[in-house]
Amino acid sequence: MRKMGLDVGDKTIGVAISDELGWTAQGIETIHREGKKKDYFRIEELIKQYDIGEIIVGLPKNMNGTIGPRGEVCQAFADYLHNRSRLPVKLWDERLTTMEAEKMLVSADVSRKKRKQVIDKMAAVIILQNYLDAQK
């Protein structure tokens, strides 16, 4: 059963999926947000295409562990996704994942323009991989 990792932002949603064994995460796309219905429709297409059995949504927490407005938006997103898909949806602490993704891309000498295009997908990979590693 594959798992899907999502990095939910205001403008984009980074998407990653696991391999069938749940060992590794790969980025598959960045969804450019066009409204709630279109965003969820695209996610549902990916769920069917990749036979997803569980969804991991990054939960942005403050450094002191509290949940702010951005985290509340992600919680609501996860609840809505669970209600629509009927799949288990788990929230996973995503503190510093975007910074980690940025460092990885900079060290790989990826141009600033290209980094901007793939940063959310890379953050989704990190969120999902951290989740997969914690399950072992």
Side-chain angles (χ1 to χ4, degrees):
M1 166 176 72
R2 288 182 189 250
K3 295 170 180 22
M4 174 183 281
L6 300 175
D7 179 45
V8 180
D10 291 329
K11 296 179 183 176
T12 60
I13 300 170
V15 183
I17 60 165
S18 73
D19 60 61
E20 285 94 352
L21 298 174
W23 291 354
T24 61
Q26 302 88 36
I28 55 169
E29 77 176 68
T30 300
I31 298 169
H32 295 277
R33 301 198 69 176
E34 298 181 51
K36 195 174 187 177
K37 287 185 180 179
K38 283 188 177 182
D39 298 345
Y40 288 111
F41 180 74
R42 181 62 187 140
I43 291 169
E44 287 170 341
E45 287 179 326
L46 294 170
I47 289 169
K48 290 177 185 142
Q49 179 180 348
Y50 291 100
D51 194 27
I52 301 297
E54 182 178 28
I55 302 168
I56 315 309
V57 176
L59 177 63
K61 291 184 177 181
N62 298 320
M63 291 312 288
N64 66 2
T66 60
I67 296 172
R70 185 80 221 130
E72 291 171 359
V73 168
C74 289
Q75 287 174 321
F77 182 93
D79 287 341
Y80 185 82
L81 190 55
H82 169 71
N83 291 333
R84 282 199 53 157
S85 69
R86 292 290 168 217
L87 291 173
V89 178
K90 296 185 178 163
L91 292 160
W92 191 256
D93 187 350
E94 70 162 44
R95 279 180 281 190
L96 304 178
T97 55
T98 301
M99 285 177 49
E100 187 178 341
E102 180 83 20
K103 284 181 185 177
M104 287 172 58
L105 293 168
V106 167
S107 69
D109 204 25
V110 176
S111 71
R112 179 171 287 152
K113 183 178 180 182
K114 182 71 172 166
R115 282 196 311 262
K116 194 171 183 174
Q117 294 170 354
V118 299
I119 191 80
D120 297 311
K121 181 169 53 172
M122 286 294 301
V125 169
I126 294 167
I127 291 164
L128 182 56
Q129 190 64 57
N130 289 344
Y131 174 80
L132 295 173
D133 291 347
Q135 303 308 303
K136 294 178 183 166

